[in-house]
Amino acid sequence: MSLQAKPNVRRGAGLKTYLYIAPAVLFVFCFCILSILFTLVISFTNWSGLGDFEFVGFSNYVAVFQDKNFLLSCINTLVWVAAGLIIPVVLPLLFAIAITKSSFSTLFKNLFYFPNAVSGVIVGLIMTSLLSMYGLPQLLGMMGFENLDKNWLNIPYVNTGVMIGAGIWQGIGMNMLLFIIGLVNMPTEPIEAAKLEGASGLTLYTKIILPLLKPTIIVVVLMSLVNSFKTFDSIWVMTGGGPYRTSETLAVTMYKESFSNSHLGMGSAIAVMLSVIILVISIVYLRKTFTREGGQ
């Protein structure tokens, strides 16, 4: 009897295990996989959100590349990505190194992380208030800089730089905490051995500490890359992509085509292309990184 009961007990335990993960699997299937498939399907239609679907093949993808605003959105997105891969990686690393050596590390962690706890919409509203005609520009005008007394968010291309600065200010805390965790959990034996060999200062960091911190750097770079591509909320609040669509990124263009212009087919095509771009870049980056690491 006991020998026959054991398979049933194991089978019951296995079924219980699947029941534990069933809600998460169902959630991912309904809200991720089905959403991706639905977006892919309507990208081949001219659906406006109401009425019937009309299959138009690759017309939306062709129309996207023929739209001059799409090229400008791509350029703005690349600017965001370039800035997001340099400043939000280098600065948090320097701050993390300085904070781990500071006696006020907890205070600095909270100060730098606080903007990350605020939503992008709130950050956009704060920056809009600071940089409008009644904020910092007016203060500079009162100080004698009359040429700066204007709404900076209405100046094409200048507003992109301002919004990138706001995004960096908001996201720098999370990257800094990741670097701090990497530095704190780093094995001390190689560092002590290097110090005994005479390594110090910049040599110690470039030859020993940064290679040991490589897994954290990979995560931070990948997160910064993805976040730069999908930046939307702060741009939408601060400029709405204007003036004259000069500050639009691909995420903003996707939203405008889908919901402002009711071209869900066109917006879905942009969403599919944006997802493919992020996926391909992430795969290439990870493959090259781990291939290089394996070769070493």
Side-chain angles (χ1 to χ4, degrees):
M1 291 293 292
S2 60
L3 293 177
Q4 293 178 353
K6 284 183 178 179
N8 293 331
V9 171
R10 292 176 181 173
R11 195 176 300 114
L15 179 61
K16 187 182 294 185
T17 302
Y18 288 119
L19 289 176
Y20 281 130
I21 65 173
V25 173
L26 184 63
F27 182 86
V28 171
F29 179 77
C30 292
F31 293 97
C32 293
I33 297 177
L34 286 183
S35 297
I36 293 171
L37 294 176
F38 182 71
T39 302
L40 182 62
V41 169
I42 64 177
S43 70
F44 296 103
T45 70
N46 64 352
W47 191 46
S48 64
L50 299 172
D52 298 328
F53 289 88
E54 181 180 350
F55 184 76
V56 295
F58 289 92
S59 298
N60 289 324
Y61 293 91
V62 174
V64 165
F65 285 104
Q66 291 177 343
D67 186 2
K68 62 180 181 180
N69 293 312
F70 177 75
L71 177 61
L72 184 57
S73 296
C74 289
I75 294 174
N76 289 333
T77 303
L78 291 176
V79 171
W80 273 88
V81 171
L85 287 180
I86 298 174
I87 304 175
V89 175
V90 176
L91 275 183
L93 178 58
L94 296 176
F95 289 152
I97 293 172
I99 286 175
T100 52
K101 297 180 179 297
S102 173
S103 56
F104 300 98
S105 59
T106 302
L107 174 63
F108 287 123
K109 287 177 189 176
N110 293 332
L111 287 176
F112 281 108
Y113 186 77
F114 174 74
N116 191 79
V118 180
S119 69
V121 174
I122 300 300
V123 170
L125 292 174
I126 292 173
M127 291 300 170
T128 302
S129 300
L130 287 175
L131 303 174
S132 66
M133 291 294 295
Y134 305 102
L136 181 61
Q138 186 181 40
L139 177 62
L140 292 174
M142 295 171 60
M143 295 172 61
F145 301 96
E146 289 82 5
N147 57 330
L148 297 178
D149 189 5
K150 58 185 70 177
N151 191 343
W152 295 355
L153 296 178
N154 284 340
I155 305 175
Y157 311 115
V158 171
N159 50 19
T160 297
V162 171
M163 290 186 292
I164 289 174
I168 292 171
W169 173 71
Q170 182 187 16
I172 201 171
M174 175 59 72
N175 294 345
M176 185 196 67
L177 284 182
L178 290 174
F179 280 129
I180 290 175
I181 293 171
L183 289 169
V184 170
N185 295 323
M186 188 179 298
T188 57
E189 292 82 2
I191 300 175
E192 295 299 329
K195 287 181 178 179
L196 291 175
E197 293 292 331
S200 62
L202 187 60
T203 303
L204 179 64
Y205 280 96
T206 55
K207 300 296 184 181
I208 305 298
I209 294 180
L210 288 183
L212 291 174
L213 202 60
K214 189 174 182 179
T216 306
I217 294 175
I218 292 173
V219 172
V220 171
V221 169
L222 193 58
M223 286 177 52
S224 300
L225 178 70
V226 174
N227 290 334
S228 299
F229 270 107
K230 68 182 185 69
T231 301
F232 167 77
D233 43 8
S234 59
I235 299 176
W236 186 253
V237 172
M238 294 171 73
T239 65
Y244 313 113
R245 306 187 69 172
T246 55
S247 62
E248 280 189 19
T249 59
L250 289 176
V252 176
T253 303
M254 174 188 68
Y255 180 87
K256 278 191 172 182
E257 291 294 337
S258 299
F259 302 106
S260 298
N261 301 333
S262 297
H263 297 159
L264 283 175
M266 180 81 75
S268 298
I270 297 174
V272 170
M273 289 189 290
L274 182 59
S275 301
V276 170
I277 290 171
I278 296 175
L279 182 62
V280 170
I281 292 177
S282 300
I283 291 174
V284 171
Y285 168 71
L286 291 175
R287 179 172 294 179
K288 284 191 174 183
T289 300
F290 289 118
T291 301
R292 193 182 307 114
E293 186 175 344
Q296 292 176 353

